[in-house]
Amino acid sequence: MNTSKSILEKVRLSIVEGEPFSFDIKRDDLIDPIISGNKWRKLQYNLLKAEALSKFGILTFGGPFSNHLIATAKACSVAGLKSMAWVRGDELRSESNDTLKACAEYGMELVFISRSEYRKKDDVFFLKELASKFPDYYIVPEGGKSYYGVVGCQHILQETTNDYDHVYLAGGTGTTAAGVLLSASEKTKVHVVSALKGAFLQNDIQQLLRQVLNDENGVAYYLKHLVMINDGHFGGYARVNQELLDFINQVYADLGLKLDPIYTGKAVFAMVKDYNEGLIGPEDKVLFIHTGGLQGATTWKDELSFL
Ligand SMILES: *Cc1c(COP(=O)(O)O)cnc(C)c1O
């Protein structure tokens, strides 16, 4: 695992209207093939916290294809911590798919629960109960959505010149977006492309900023830099169409850059749309944060040229 700075790459994308589109890419996808991208950023301080509290392991939550679960499983195994996951779906077993299989191989204990029970994952009483049942585990919420997750994501821009006019990234829980907002320069607009259908992500980002800042004026100040893109999800979470898959293959042919169809493919698609529509000026400095996610892309191995 390369836990020092991730690489910054400068590219020129030709598959756009007019002049090639020049932008930088923060290659967090290269931190580790399994503890990929923003998942490492979100786990880093949670692991340190667990160690500081002398816990034996991490207990967390996720769906059966979760990038967060597999990242937690490997990161804990590297750090010498145990890991336990409460997984959505009581019909599942550790052999059900490659993600769960790998989690089990990294030593993660998998507890399969019903969808209705899974819905309690953020309930304070349920979490209290869980904490008293498993006192040796430090509990990390689904997707690493936490105070320490936000803190870790502040490093992404701090490792760059941090003088961008526009930063683009994909959003799920909004944890990465909150960390990026808190560390962005005064002039930077942070464009967050939601991987999910609906308009709740801004609210989630706002809650996370509140949790870190505890100051309403501060929250309002940082939110002014946020540009939400809520119509870039292609029909919903993990929904794809031929246009998106073609686009991902085109980007790979042009730049040799691999994108996944759930998060980063949709985010680059939305960024290129903004470029083609003239929302990004020819002199503007642009950064795309590659948040990783390729472990889950094998579902589309017949459609994507690089798999
Ligand atoms: C999990 C994930 C995201 C979402 O990050 P949040 O911090 O939850 O918003 C984005 N991109 C990739 C590749 C991911 O795996």
Side-chain angles (χ1 to χ4, degrees), residues 44-59 81 131 134-140 148:
Q44 188 176 13
Y45 288 105
N46 278 302
L47 294 183
L48 287 175
K49 184 70 183 175
E51 283 165 354
L53 294 171
S54 303
K55 302 285 183 184
F56 292 163
I58 297 279
L59 191 165
L81 289 164
F134 299 104
D136 295 331
Y137 285 81
Y138 182 68
I139 298 180
V140 175
Y148 290 111

Side-chain angles (χ1 to χ4, degrees), residues 3 12 18 59 92 100 145 152 165 179 200 204 207 263 272 304:
T3 53
R12 279 161 64 86
L59 191 165
L92 297 164
L100 294 174
K145 184 184 184 187
D165 299 293
F200 50 84
D204 292 357
Q207 294 289 354
Y263 293 106
V272 166
L304 297 178

Side-chain angles (χ1 to χ4, degrees), residues 18-29:
E19 282 292 299
F21 172 24
S22 297
F23 58 97
D24 292 355
I25 311 177
K26 184 68 172 150
R27 296 294 305 269
D28 270 19
D29 56 315

Side-chain angles (χ1 to χ4, degrees), residues 177-241:
V180 168
L181 275 172
L182 284 170
S183 53
S185 83
E186 183 70 38
K187 69 169 182 178
T188 306
K189 291 241 172 300
V190 178
H191 304 255
V192 180
V193 183
S194 179
L196 296 104
K197 199 173 179 168
F200 50 84
L201 187 54
Q202 168 147 356
N203 226 8
D204 292 357
I205 294 170
Q206 193 168 345
Q207 294 289 354
L208 284 159
L209 292 176
R210 250 184 218 134
Q211 211 175 324
V212 174
L213 295 169
N214 203 11
D215 163 28
E216 278 313 307
N217 291 328
V219 172
Y221 169 81
Y222 287 105
L223 280 179
K224 276 193 281 186
H225 298 249
L226 174 65
V227 182
M228 280 308 307
I229 300 180
N230 283 326
D231 59 0
H233 53 69
F234 284 79
Y237 185 74
R239 297 284 182 90
V240 306
N241 66 16

Side-chain angles (χ1 to χ4, degrees), residues 12 20 42 60 65-66 90 140 144 147-148 151 164-165 173 175 189 216 220 226 238 275 285 300 302 304 307:
R12 279 161 64 86
K42 291 193 277 186
T60 193
F65 295 97
S66 165
D90 52 5
V140 175
Y147 174 89
Y148 290 111
V151 172
Y164 294 96
D165 299 293
T173 65
T175 311
K189 291 241 172 300
E216 278 313 307
L226 174 65
Y275 179 84
K285 259 195 103 175
W300 292 278
D302 296 336
L304 297 178
L307 291 176

Side-chain angles (χ1 to χ4, degrees), residues 38-39 42 67 143 170-177 201 260 263-264 291-293:
N38 63 347
K39 298 303 180 282
K42 291 193 277 186
N67 291 330
T173 65
T175 311
T176 310
L201 187 54
D260 80 284
Y263 293 106
T264 53
T291 41

